[in-house]
Amino acid sequence: MDRLARIFSQQNELITLIGGYKDEFETFKSLASMPADTLQIFQQLALDLLQDLEQPVDRKGCAERSRNLREEGNLVFKESATGSSKDSVLKACRLYTAAVFEAEDAMEELSLAFANRGIALQEYGYYREAYDDCANALECGYPERLRHKVIMRQAYCAWKLKKIASLEEHLEHLGQLQLKENFKQQLEDLKQKLELLKNQPKEQETQAKVVDKSLGEILTDPGPRGRYMVAKEAISKGNVIFSERASCFVPLEQQLICQQCAASLMSAPIPCPNCHQRVVYCSRKCRDAQSAIHKFECAAYRKDILRLLGISHLALRLLLTYIPYIMPHLQEMTSAKGMWKEIMNLSRKPEASENAPEYLRSLRMVSQLDQANNEEVNYHILCVNLLQLYLKEHTDFYDQFHSFPASIEDWQLIISALILRFSGQLLANGHVGDGLLGVSMEPKEFVMLQPELWQKPRHLKRGQLHNLSHSDPITAVNLPYLSLCNHACEPSIRTKFDGCSVVNYAAKDILDGEEIFNCYTNDYRTSLKLHRAHPLKDIYKFECTCAKCTRTDPDQNYLSFHRYRCEKHNCRQEFLPDVKVQQNNLRWWLRSNAEKPITCTVCQELQHFAWYNEFLELIGSSADSSRRQALFKAFDDLDKWLVDHHSLKRIMAEELITACFYEIDGGTSLNDFEYEDLARIIRKQLEGTAAQCGDNSTEYIARMTYLWDIIAQKKCRTDKKELLEMKGKVDYLASEHREVFLNYYNDFIEQ
């Protein structure tokens, strides 16, 4: 990052946009018209950076590390053959996965690691993943003399998966080989299984009904409102308004999720062997589907430049995804100017229908670069220039344009302008998708491979659901249809991210013809108006005039979660901190605000919050039963100081719950009364979460996992109504998590 910053600083001094920023095309046209010697220095800085970022591969070291991990996995897997629990099998899978990653492009070791992981996956019951690993091993050059073993396992997995055509293909291949007697017997057994499979009645494929209809209608206002969405009919709270599948997303913070479908629960991740362990797929199917994009990004991942460029990486992916659809419109154009004019014509055409192609919707999104300051514009220019040079010098991307009448130099100008356009659009229209991840997972650790959590594929052990409750942003996504929704601090929709798709539910009852709003920042219940106004102005370039921001007291809902009772005995009145004086330290318990006190607005006395420090001391000694009892009482006493659903009460509940479950996971036994107290506190926390964040929010579901674990262990009382209400929340989870949650509910909770 420091190296990039230094290069950008040097390049920035050389940039002079003649006449200031006009549009994306004119920007790069102006850049190309710099004096030749200046331009040469400017571009050489970027080229040197790209060269310096190349990371050599220690293939010998990779092979050795992979071999050691595989051999360790072999020892663990042999333990499972003695009749021990399946934990050893999953532990072996984890070690073999580490061997796969460490091998990188040491292909011999990679093939062996895939093959051995395939055996363990098959033993555990992950037949689809085992089948893929057999194919991976063969593809990577598994030794010829042993290939029949891998093909036999493929055939077995194909039988388990009821893939008749694949099973026939593998059996035919095996029939042509010289096999030993034991393999001949396995072959005959599989042939018999194939005949039985053929004679079974065909299962009817049940597919979820896909509803293409959107309950939203796109309208256009020639003024600042622009395009917006209204309800076609009255929509009840909880109903689906519309769904959208994104072709373009990128993982955030180098999250190891599938680059094609954004799956995060992977039991057999398949890394690209050339990307230094930075790119993974959940299956060969996803890997192959992404190959047309990844072939142009692979070297960039190897150089590790994409994580440095922020939103420009997603802009690059839009370019790589949409250029095949844009190219036919430009095949007769002979100049960059003509091509850009045609692209702008495409971007200005009105929506013909809600089913317009995604690339056209994306081209039509609003960009705010023309309102950005010079420093911001220059930063994005430098990012795009680096990416364009990368495509030119380190990929064969531009080879596809040789048959077009326009020159390659013209195409370089168009590609730069398009990436810059997408960058500007994504600044105002990009979305961040969240997901549930494993708690306390190390980088390159996969929650599905933790033997202490799982009893069988996608079935958690009793009491382990809370270890799947860490909520975090995982993707930056382009969603051009959702982007048509204007902003309001009280949104009309609740967006569920499901891999690379989204489902948008009505967050409240919506009238026929009423505008449908999204919220671009924290909403009116979780932030002050002042704190929302800054990002709206800085990023989205407008001032909010929604109903919540223009009322007499725009902060009343947020402040309702910050009401205190004065700790002075001669006062004891409820009060709200003076927001004008203390707007930046309402969350005084954060370390950054530790020296900013709260004063009672009734008696003007300083609040010392001794009870808060006492609570933290008890948290640190929650292994002791008597101290836990004191901790539970201290939480109940919070009602003396914090009114109703004070946000600090939720945070302190989370500290208490996390500390207690840490002890439970470590083997500490709680008595029945303690479990009832703990369940009561979780329910109290859920009430507060529902009040401030919503009872179908990711925050609510994450906190709910702790209550499910106590109920699953039969350690607290519940009733049918509560169970059904909690089960209903699962609908708001991504499908991969929904399956795990429902399995857990059916295994341990359903009465």
Side-chain angles (χ1 to χ4, degrees):
M1 180 64 83
D2 291 342
R3 169 83 165 133
L4 180 74
R6 287 196 302 272
I7 296 298
F8 275 14
S9 178
Q10 291 174 268
Q11 288 183 305
N12 191 53
E13 294 177 4
L14 302 174
I15 293 179
T16 302
L17 295 180
I18 301 171
Y21 179 83
K22 296 184 180 67
D23 69 9
E24 300 86 0
F25 177 74
E26 291 297 330
T27 294
F28 277 94
K29 186 178 175 183
S30 175
L31 205 64
S33 65
M34 286 195 296
D37 57 341
T38 304
L39 181 61
Q40 197 277 332
I41 294 170
F42 179 84
Q43 298 295 42
Q44 193 61 47
L45 286 167
L47 290 170
D48 289 346
L49 174 63
L50 288 170
Q51 189 62 42
D52 291 346
L53 289 173
E54 190 66 41
Q55 299 177 9
V57 178
D58 176 14
R59 196 166 285 108
K60 183 178 179 181
C62 288
E64 184 177 351
R65 290 191 296 274
S66 177
R67 187 182 309 112
N68 291 338
L69 286 162
R70 176 171 53 82
E71 289 173 353
E72 185 180 351
N74 291 344
L75 293 174
V76 172
F77 188 68
K78 286 177 182 176
E79 291 178 14
S80 67
T82 64
S84 59
S85 71
K86 279 199 168 186
D87 286 3
S88 296
V89 180
L90 201 56
K91 185 179 178 182
C93 287
R94 185 171 66 180
L95 288 164
Y96 290 141
T97 295
V100 165
F101 274 76
E102 287 297 334
E104 298 200 14
D105 64 349
M107 302 309 284
E108 182 179 351
E109 283 301 327
L110 183 58
S111 71
L112 296 172
F114 273 132
N116 287 19
R117 189 174 71 172
I119 300 173
L121 289 167
Q122 177 182 315
E123 180 68 22
Y124 197 76
Y126 282 122
Y127 299 112
R128 194 271 299 166
E129 292 82 354
Y131 186 91
D132 269 4
D133 266 3
C134 290
N136 291 332
L138 296 171
E139 182 180 77
C140 293
Y142 195 71
E144 189 68 35
R145 61 187 175 79
L146 301 173
R147 291 171 80 87
H148 63 282
K149 294 183 178 181
V150 175
I151 298 169
M152 190 71 76
R153 288 201 294 274
Q154 270 191 305
Y156 179 84
C157 291
W159 167 64
K160 279 289 190 178
L161 295 168
K162 299 183 179 181
K163 296 169 65 172
I164 293 176
S166 296
L167 178 53
E168 287 178 327
E169 177 187 343
H170 298 314
L171 294 183
E172 182 181 355
H173 189 168
L174 289 166
Q176 298 171 4
L177 301 177
Q178 296 294 320
L179 300 175
K180 291 183 179 180
E181 196 59 39
N182 60 328
F183 285 103
K184 287 182 180 179
Q185 184 58 53
Q186 290 180 47
L187 179 58
E188 290 304 313
D189 289 345
L190 284 171
K191 285 180 178 179
Q192 293 178 21
K193 287 179 168 62
L194 172 62
E195 293 306 313
L196 291 173
L197 199 57
K198 285 180 175 180
N199 293 327
Q200 287 180 2
K202 289 187 177 181
E203 296 180 3
Q204 292 290 328
E205 291 188 8
T206 57
Q207 294 184 343
K209 186 178 180 182
V210 178
V211 180
D212 292 327
K213 178 185 176 185
S214 168
L215 299 182
E217 180 180 11
I218 308 305
L219 301 178
T220 301
D221 184 331
R225 192 180 190 185
R227 290 180 296 161
Y228 60 100
M229 189 182 297
V230 299
K232 291 180 181 178
E233 58 189 63
I235 307 172
S236 299
K237 178 181 178 181
N239 284 0
V240 175
I241 304 176
F242 65 91
S243 302
E244 183 175 8
R245 180 173 178 81
S247 298
C248 301
F249 72 90
V250 293
L252 287 175
E253 301 298 327
Q254 294 189 298
Q255 294 274 5
L256 287 179
I257 61 175
C258 179
Q259 291 267 346
Q260 172 65 18
C261 71
S264 61
L265 298 182
M266 292 182 281
S267 52
I270 302 172
C272 171
N274 301 310
C275 287
H276 295 320
Q277 308 178 31
R278 295 182 181 121
V279 169
V280 298
Y281 303 97
C282 69
S283 65
R284 287 174 61 86
K285 180 181 178 181
C286 277
R287 185 200 66 178
D288 294 346
Q290 184 70 5
S291 61
I293 302 298
H294 185 64
K295 68 180 180 181
F296 298 125
E297 289 188 343
C298 188
Y301 270 110
R302 190 163 60 248
K303 295 172 183 291
D304 202 20
I305 63 173
L306 297 176
R307 69 178 179 87
L308 305 176
L309 300 181
I311 202 68
S312 295
H313 180 198
L314 182 54
L316 172 66
R317 192 159 288 189
L318 263 67
L319 180 280
L320 296 175
T321 303
Y322 298 151
I323 196 66
Y325 302 100
I326 296 173
M327 286 167 62
H329 297 282
L330 310 179
Q331 58 188 354
E332 303 298 329
M333 305 297 168
T334 59
S335 68
K337 184 177 179 179
M339 289 193 286
W340 188 251
K341 183 178 178 181
E342 179 60 23
I343 291 170
M344 289 301 95
N345 288 339
L346 289 172
S347 72
R348 295 187 186 108
K349 287 182 180 178
E351 299 282 353
S353 73
E354 64 190 33
N355 296 316
E358 185 183 309
Y359 81 97
L360 286 180
R361 287 184 185 170
S362 297
L363 280 174
R364 294 165 186 166
M365 293 190 301
V366 173
S367 172
Q368 305 290 10
L369 270 186
D370 59 335
Q371 300 180 49
N373 59 45
N374 288 341
E375 183 179 354
E376 188 177 358
V377 171
N378 285 357
Y379 169 76
H380 290 292
I381 291 171
L382 294 173
C383 287
V384 171
N385 182 67
L386 186 66
L387 288 172
Q388 191 280 132
L389 283 175
Y390 157 76
L391 289 173
K392 176 175 177 283
E393 299 294 333
H394 296 274
T395 75
D396 61 357
F397 175 75
Y398 283 101
D399 288 357
Q400 63 190 307
F401 304 120
H402 283 305
S403 61
F404 284 72
S407 69
I408 294 300
E409 289 74 18
D410 284 336
W411 275 105
Q412 290 170 12
L413 183 55
I414 289 299
I415 293 305
S416 298
L418 274 172
I419 300 175
L420 185 59
R421 180 175 180 82
F422 289 140
S423 295
Q425 292 170 319
L426 290 167
L427 286 172
N429 297 280
H431 296 80
V432 174
D434 60 3
L436 291 180
L437 304 172
V439 174
S440 301
M441 288 285 105
E442 294 293 326
K444 297 176 186 171
E445 282 282 348
F446 297 90
V447 69
M448 298 294 284
L449 296 176
Q450 307 308 310
E452 65 275 12
L453 301 184
W454 303 94
Q455 55 170 328
K456 58 182 178 179
R458 299 193 174 272
H459 288 255
L460 285 160
K461 293 179 180 178
R462 191 189 301 270
Q464 295 299 330
L465 186 63
H466 69 279
N467 282 309
L468 201 61
S469 66
H470 177 60
S471 174
D472 227 8
I474 59 173
T475 54
V477 197
N478 177 45
L479 296 163
Y481 195 66
L482 176 57
S483 295
L484 292 169
C485 294
N486 282 326
H487 166 81
C489 296
E490 182 183 18
S492 313
I493 59 176
R494 191 284 199 199
T495 301
K496 175 181 81 172
F497 288 87
D498 189 354
C500 53
S501 299
V502 294
V503 181
N504 294 281
Y505 298 88
K508 58 180 183 177
D509 291 339
I510 303 173
L511 300 175
D512 183 9
E514 182 180 346
E515 184 167 359
I516 297 170
F517 292 103
N518 192 10
C519 183
Y520 299 173
T521 61
N522 290 329
D523 67 23
Y524 73 105
R525 293 179 299 181
T526 58
S527 62
L528 291 168
K529 176 185 175 181
L530 178 67
H531 294 165
R532 299 192 299 275
H534 286 312
L536 290 174
K537 187 67 175 175
D538 292 347
I539 299 172
Y540 302 101
K541 315 302 180 187
F542 70 85
E543 294 181 5
C544 185
T545 57
C546 75
K548 296 299 181 184
C549 285
T550 54
R551 59 185 173 172
T552 305
D553 185 2
D555 295 321
Q556 65 188 63
N557 294 91
Y558 177 70
L559 292 175
S560 69
F561 300 103
H562 289 272
R563 293 164 55 214
Y564 296 85
R565 193 178 303 281
C566 181
E567 61 189 31
K568 302 302 178 182
H569 295 295
N570 58 350
C571 180
R572 300 296 290 145
Q573 297 297 307
E574 287 186 21
F575 73 93
L576 281 171
D578 187 337
V579 68
K580 293 180 180 178
V581 175
Q582 298 173 312
Q583 59 189 2
N584 292 320
N585 70 315
L586 287 173
R587 301 174 71 187
W588 52 266
W589 53 88
L590 297 179
R591 182 172 297 178
S592 58
N593 294 330
E595 302 303 320
K596 300 174 183 178
I598 294 286
T599 300
C600 173
T601 53
V602 178
C603 69
Q604 307 305 316
E605 289 288 335
L606 184 68
Q607 306 295 294
H608 295 289
F609 303 130
W611 45 267
Y612 178 72
N613 293 323
E614 292 168 3
F615 184 89
L616 293 184
E617 288 180 11
L618 290 169
I619 286 284
S621 56
S622 54
D624 181 80
S625 179
S626 62
R627 301 286 282 179
R628 279 198 303 275
Q629 292 296 330
L631 182 61
F632 297 150
K633 184 179 184 305
F635 181 83
D636 292 338
D637 287 344
L638 292 179
D639 288 336
K640 297 177 181 178
W641 324 110
L642 305 176
V643 178
D644 294 337
H645 299 304
H646 196 294
S647 60
L648 178 56
K649 200 181 294 184
R650 283 197 298 116
I651 292 168
M652 294 173 77
E654 183 172 350
E655 292 287 339
L656 182 155
I657 295 161
T658 302
C660 288
F661 269 82
Y662 177 82
E663 299 301 334
I664 293 168
D665 289 345
T668 300
S669 296
L670 274 61
N671 62 43
D672 290 346
F673 296 108
E674 289 178 309
Y675 271 114
E676 285 289 358
D677 279 335
L678 189 54
R680 176 176 52 78
I681 291 168
I682 296 171
R683 289 184 174 108
K684 189 79 172 176
Q685 182 197 36
L686 289 173
E687 289 176 14
T689 304
Q692 191 165 17
C693 305
D695 64 358
N696 55 24
S697 63
T698 305
E699 294 89 342
Y700 186 96
I701 297 170
R703 304 275 65 81
M704 185 182 74
T705 60
Y706 291 89
L707 185 57
W708 276 32
D709 276 343
I710 295 177
I711 293 172
Q713 296 180 80
K714 315 300 180 188
K715 295 295 185 180
C716 76
R717 288 164 289 184
T718 185
D719 56 43
K720 193 74 172 178
K721 180 183 177 184
E722 180 181 51
L723 293 180
L724 290 176
E725 286 178 353
M726 290 194 297
K727 186 179 181 182
K729 311 300 180 190
V730 174
D731 290 339
Y732 293 92
L733 288 172
S735 54
E736 59 177 344
H737 291 89
R738 184 174 182 271
E739 179 186 1
V740 172
F741 273 61
L742 288 177
N743 286 341
Y744 191 82
Y745 186 92
N746 294 331
D747 288 345
F748 304 121
I749 293 178
E750 190 167 37
Q751 295 181 335

